[in-house]
Amino acid sequence: MSDEHRIDFTDFVMSIASAGFVGLGLAPNPGTEKTEINLELARHNIDLLDLMKEKTKGNLSAEESRLLEQMLYEMRMRFVEARAKVQQNKIV
């Protein structure tokens, strides 16, 4: 594989986060082009990033660690918002 097509840690984190944002209804599903909340998909991708954080502890650069922390924080906050939105729609 050439260097121009090599995936780095940032690309990997952003790929997982992007899938999580699809589940949070913040980006359209590439398969359906629809934007919808799928909390199970979002939770799965948050868990993947959390697992990656645990398994890479002490092996990341400061920048990589910061990116991973930021994505986890953002996705967790958005998950809480999405879950509240889903619960609100079930009540109404």
Side-chain angles (χ1 to χ4, degrees):
M1 182 179 284
S2 69
D3 284 343
E4 71 183 54
H5 297 295
R6 177 167 260 139
I7 296 175
D8 64 10
F9 188 78
T10 298
D11 294 331
F12 187 54
V13 169
M14 294 308 293
S15 176
I16 294 170
S18 293
F21 289 133
V22 168
L24 292 168
L26 300 172
N29 180 321
T32 65
E33 296 300 321
K34 293 181 181 178
T35 302
E36 52 201 8
I37 294 174
N38 179 335
L39 293 177
E40 187 176 324
L41 175 64
R43 176 87 266 166
H44 176 76
N45 285 284
I46 291 168
D47 290 346
L48 283 175
L49 288 178
D50 199 38
L51 175 67
M52 190 182 325
K53 177 184 167 190
E54 291 303 313
K55 294 296 184 179
T56 59
K57 194 176 287 187
N59 292 314
L60 299 177
S61 69
E63 183 178 307
E64 291 169 335
S65 184
R66 195 169 27 258
L67 172 67
L68 190 51
E69 287 290 340
Q70 287 174 326
M71 287 297 101
L72 275 166
Y73 176 80
E74 183 69 24
M75 290 178 70
R76 286 175 174 148
M77 293 300 106
R78 298 294 183 133
F79 183 88
V80 170
E81 293 170 3
R83 186 175 54 200
K85 195 180 291 187
V86 167
Q87 290 172 345
Q88 183 179 24
N89 287 336
K90 286 182 180 178
I91 293 171
V92 175

